[in-house]
Amino acid sequence: MVQELVSGLGLWSWWILGLVLLAAELAAPGVFLIWIGLAAVVIGALSLLFWEAAFWSWQLQLLLFAVLSIAFALAGRRFYAGRNQASDEPMLNRRGESLVGRTATLQEPITEGRGRIRLDDTWWPVMGPDLPAGTRVKVVVATGRDLTVEAA
C-alpha cells in the first residue's frame, strides 16, 4: 500500500504529506505536527535529489522519515523547554493566587462555610469558619475563584 502510494504520487508524496501536516498544525495547534511535517518536507527535498537513485527505496524513505520526525520532535522540545523564563510578574494570570496573604473586611457573613469579601474592585466568594459581616479576614488559600480565609 505504501509502495503504491509513493509510486503513484511520485516524489510529490512527501511534499503533500508535509503540507497536510503543517496545515493540520495550523488547524489544531499543539506544536507537534509541525516537526513531523518538517521531516516530511525534508524527505521530499531529498527525494528531489535522489528519486532516480537505486538506493532511494520507499523503505529507506520511511526509515529516514521516522528518524527525522523523532529528531525534530526532540529538538523542538528542547528549543521550547528553554523558553520558560522567569517573569517579573509571576502572578499576572493567576489573580486568585496573588491575593494570598491579603486582608479584607467581610461584606457578607460567612454562614455554613460560605461568604463574600470585596478586594480591590472585585467580589470574591470565600470559605472559612462562620464569622459575622465586618470581620477582618486574611486570605490563606486560593483555589480557582474561591478563597479560603481565616480571622485576621
Side-chain angles (χ1 to χ4, degrees), residues 3-15:
Q3 185 178 7
E4 292 173 17
L5 180 67
V6 171
S7 63
L9 292 175
L11 61 94
W12 298 108
S13 59
W14 290 110
W15 288 97

Side-chain angles (χ1 to χ4, degrees), residues 103-110 115-118 123 126 130-138 150-152:
T103 58
T105 304
L106 277 174
Q107 299 297 317
E108 294 179 9
I110 299 178
R116 286 195 336 169
I117 62 173
R118 183 175 175 99
W123 289 89
V126 295
D130 289 353
L131 296 169
T135 305
R136 296 285 295 165
V137 292
K138 180 179 180 180
E150 62 184 23

Side-chain angles (χ1 to χ4, degrees), residues 15-122:
W15 288 97
I16 293 168
L17 177 64
L19 292 176
V20 166
L21 288 169
L22 293 175
E25 179 66 37
L26 290 174
V31 191
F32 183 72
L33 292 177
I34 192 169
W35 308 119
I36 299 171
L38 185 60
V41 169
V42 168
I43 296 298
L46 290 173
S47 291
L48 287 174
L49 297 173
F50 301 124
W51 190 255
E52 297 296 327
F55 68 89
W56 195 245
S57 66
W58 66 269
Q59 294 94 344
L60 178 63
Q61 292 175 37
L62 281 179
L63 179 66
L64 285 176
F65 173 68
V67 169
L68 282 177
S69 294
I70 292 169
F72 285 156
L74 291 175
R77 181 176 179 193
R78 184 177 195 135
F79 173 73
Y80 280 112
R83 298 180 70 94
N84 292 335
Q85 299 172 353
S87 170
D88 59 340
E89 292 189 42
M91 298 292 185
L92 181 64
N93 292 321
R94 299 185 305 200
R95 188 168 179 206
E97 293 176 34
S98 70
L99 300 176
V100 173
R102 292 194 49 192
T103 58
T105 304
L106 277 174
Q107 299 297 317
E108 294 179 9
I110 299 178
T111 54
E112 298 178 10
R114 307 287 294 175
R116 286 195 336 169
I117 62 173
R118 183 175 175 99
L119 274 171
D120 299 328
D121 61 346
T122 306

